């Protein structure tokens, strides 16, 4: 036993060296694998984004000529409330008439002339919700927290925006297909991925508050993440706590990016 210990002590430096070398040689492939995995993720994100761009361009190429022709035809007849009917894909084909709620396109005018393609961009189609027609205002605080409520109310810390339209953006990715031949009450049909009343999943995150037709120019961006479905003091306090956390997280991310450079 004593002889074995002496042998071990004699060869210990070499044993430690071999162990360290084995560990070091094992670490190098590990970091190489991590580096390759990060490159793979970046490449995958790039491919996903380019495929999304191509898909949006193809969809716009398909729908824009038909949508433009429909809008110009209606405009020529003096109609300004030009609408499209939404049908949830699950209701096709048996429940079409029960689901076809009319949505108004956001069409901009300049001196009574229609602005070409004001209702479409490279990722989707703009619609408007006439809040003024329902006597509904948007109440917004200085941090952008907002909610909808009947007009002419007072909420401490909130500014009321009355007689406005809400502009919402429907991404092409949420349009399963469309039909300009089979019309319901004179409007074409959009078959949508989710139901027409599912604002959160149907439309893009940014809403825009705009003026009514012929009113003075107005524009205010609203972030859906700051939307309270109904005003309660506790809910409002929790919303501000959430905003504080987002801002803190954003600052930490920016500092981390700056430290890398």
């Amino acid at each position: 036993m004593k002889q074995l210990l002496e042998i071990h002590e004699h060869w210990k430096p070499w044993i430690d060296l071999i162990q360290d070398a084995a560990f070091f040689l094992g670490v190098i492939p590990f970091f190489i694998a991590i580096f390759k995995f990060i490159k793979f993720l970046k490449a995958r994100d790039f491919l996903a984004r380019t495929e999304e761009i191509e898909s949006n361009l193809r969809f716009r190429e398909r729908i824009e000529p038909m949508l433009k022709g429909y809008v110009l035809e209606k405009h020529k007849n003096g109609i300004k409330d030009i609408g499209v009917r939404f049908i949830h894909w699950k209701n096709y084909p048996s429940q079409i008439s029960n689901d076809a709620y009319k949505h108004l396109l956001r069409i901009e005018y300049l001196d009574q002339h229609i602005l070409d393609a004001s209702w479409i961009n490279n990722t989707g189609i703009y619609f408007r919700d006439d809040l003024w027609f329902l006597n509904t205002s948007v109440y917004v605080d200085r941090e952008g927290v907002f909610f909808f409520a009947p007009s002419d109310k007072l909420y401490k810390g909130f500014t009321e925006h009355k007689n406005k339209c809400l502009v919402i953006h429907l991404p092409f990715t949420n349009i399963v297909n469309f039909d300009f031949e089979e019309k319901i009450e004179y409007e074409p049909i959009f078959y949508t991925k989710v139901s027409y009343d599912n604002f959160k999943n149907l439309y893009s995150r940014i809403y825009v508050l705009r003026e009514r037709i012929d009113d003075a120019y107005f524009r205010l961006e609203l972030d859906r993440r700051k939307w309270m479905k109904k005003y309660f003091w506790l809910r409002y306090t929790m919303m501000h706590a959430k905003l504080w956390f987002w801002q803190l997280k954003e600052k930490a991310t920016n500092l981390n990016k700056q430290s890398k450079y």
Side-chain angles (χ1 to χ4, degrees):
M1 186 67 179
K2 184 179 178 181
Q3 188 176 4
L4 289 173
L5 290 172
E6 289 175 352
I7 293 172
H8 179 268
E9 285 296 324
H10 177 74
W11 291 102
K12 188 174 184 303
W14 290 100
I15 293 171
D16 290 343
L17 180 64
I18 292 169
Q19 286 178 338
D20 292 342
F23 173 76
F24 183 71
L25 291 173
V27 165
I28 291 175
F30 172 75
F31 280 109
I32 290 174
I34 291 291
F35 177 72
K36 287 183 176 179
F37 182 67
I38 292 171
K39 283 186 68 177
F40 163 75
L41 290 178
K42 287 183 177 180
R44 189 185 64 173
D45 289 343
F46 173 75
L47 287 174
R49 187 56 58 88
T50 54
E51 286 175 3
E52 181 184 355
I53 292 170
E54 289 175 4
S55 176
N56 282 333
L57 290 174
R58 286 195 301 269
F59 196 93
R60 179 170 182 170
E61 188 177 3
R62 284 176 57 208
I63 197 172
E64 187 168 21
M66 285 181 279
L67 190 59
K68 181 178 178 180
Y70 164 69
V71 169
L72 294 179
E73 177 190 351
K74 291 292 183 182
H75 172 67
K76 199 178 294 181
N77 293 327
I79 298 173
K80 288 190 175 181
D81 293 339
I82 302 172
V84 175
R85 302 277 171 170
F86 285 12
I87 294 177
H88 190 202
W89 68 272
K90 285 186 178 181
N91 292 329
Y92 177 84
S94 58
Q95 300 181 49
I96 285 180
S97 60
N98 296 328
D99 187 37
Y101 185 82
K102 182 178 177 178
H103 294 71
L104 300 177
L105 289 163
R106 167 63 188 181
I107 299 171
E108 296 188 43
Y109 295 87
L110 181 64
D111 296 329
Q112 302 302 317
H113 296 288
I114 196 167
L115 293 179
D116 190 26
S118 58
W119 54 86
I120 193 170
N121 73 348
N122 60 342
T123 60
I125 300 171
Y126 290 105
F127 291 86
R128 79 173 199 264
D129 194 352
D130 289 336
L131 301 176
W132 59 270
F133 185 75
L134 301 172
N135 195 36
T136 298
S137 292
V138 183
Y139 296 84
V140 188
D141 79 350
R142 62 182 183 180
E143 298 294 331
V145 176
F146 70 98
F147 62 94
F148 302 96
S151 297
D152 300 320
K153 301 290 183 180
L154 290 175
Y155 296 93
K156 187 177 179 180
F158 285 86
T159 300
E160 179 187 9
H161 297 284
K162 186 180 177 182
N163 293 329
K164 297 294 184 284
C165 300
L166 186 70
V167 178
I168 40 188
H169 179 261
L170 177 67
F172 292 139
T173 52
N174 280 340
I175 305 174
V176 177
N177 217 323
F178 50 86
D179 192 344
F180 283 83
E181 299 298 327
E182 181 69 32
K183 297 185 177 181
I184 297 179
E185 296 188 23
Y186 309 103
E187 281 93 27
I189 300 167
F190 281 7
Y191 298 101
T192 59
K193 190 178 290 185
V194 296
S195 178
Y196 74 87
D197 55 356
N198 187 345
F199 260 58
K200 182 179 179 181
N201 295 316
L202 185 60
Y203 298 108
S204 300
R205 180 170 59 86
I206 300 299
Y207 302 155
V208 180
L209 205 58
R210 293 296 305 268
E211 75 282 358
R212 296 179 298 184
I213 295 175
D214 298 329
D215 280 1
Y217 175 84
F218 179 88
R219 190 179 192 280
L220 177 65
E221 281 195 5
L222 302 169
D223 189 331
R224 188 182 60 217
R225 295 176 302 176
K226 300 178 182 180
W227 175 26
M228 293 190 301
K229 292 186 178 179
K230 198 170 183 180
Y231 177 81
F232 290 110
W233 180 84
L234 181 59
R235 184 180 294 173
Y236 180 52
T237 304
M238 291 175 65
M239 176 66 77
H240 269 277
K242 190 188 292 185
L243 289 178
W244 177 83
F245 176 76
W246 286 344
Q247 290 168 359
L248 198 65
K249 187 177 178 182
E250 188 176 349
K251 285 180 182 178
T253 303
N254 291 336
L255 286 172
N256 188 37
K257 287 181 180 178
Q258 290 173 6
S259 65
K260 289 181 179 179
Y261 295 102

